[in-house]
Amino acid sequence: CGYKPAVRQETFHTLPLSLAGIVESDPPSAAEKKIPRMEDLLTSAFKSINLSDVICERCSALEELKVVRKAKKRQSDQKSRWSGKRARELLFKKERQLIRFLETGIE
């Protein structure tokens, strides 16, 4: 769908950086040439990755909102499991939560 979530910045104390691909060899000068720069390591650690066959948070929230609204329509039927007071409160709360997420990106 093309949705990109907001960048979440969190404080961290350590940052492991992968040095995969560095092979020790003779002479040492050849191995030194294979060592990436710190900038390359940081770029690799923080780059975005596109995943296929994954439902994003936004699409998932949209589908869940459809289900919640469908359940809310059933509330008028006294035989529905959604007609009770707790169910009404749950659906109201969940709908507000989903709308807030879709509008702001904040869970």
Side-chain angles (χ1 to χ4, degrees), residues 72-89:
K72 282 183 76 175
K73 288 180 183 179
R74 295 184 188 147
Q75 288 177 335
S76 59
D77 180 2
Q78 294 301 316
K79 294 179 182 178
S80 170
R81 66 180 179 178
W82 300 107
S83 63
K85 183 179 177 182
R86 281 188 73 191
R88 289 175 183 265
E89 290 171 356

Side-chain angles (χ1 to χ4, degrees), residues 3-4 9 14 28 46 50-51 66 70 88 100:
Y3 170 73
K4 292 185 180 183
Q9 297 180 0
T14 62
F46 292 105
N50 290 327
L51 302 173
K66 287 179 189 176
K70 189 175 179 180
R88 289 175 183 265
R100 178 176 176 240

Side-chain angles (χ1 to χ4, degrees), residues 44-81:
S44 176
F46 292 105
K47 71 180 177 182
S48 295
I49 300 171
N50 290 327
L51 302 173
S52 59
D53 300 329
V54 175
I55 298 174
C56 78
E57 292 174 296
R58 186 173 184 277
C59 291
S60 180
L62 285 169
E63 288 301 314
E64 191 172 357
L65 184 59
K66 287 179 189 176
V67 170
V68 167
R69 288 184 170 162
K70 189 175 179 180
K72 282 183 76 175
K73 288 180 183 179
R74 295 184 188 147
Q75 288 177 335
S76 59
D77 180 2
Q78 294 301 316
K79 294 179 182 178
S80 170
R81 66 180 179 178

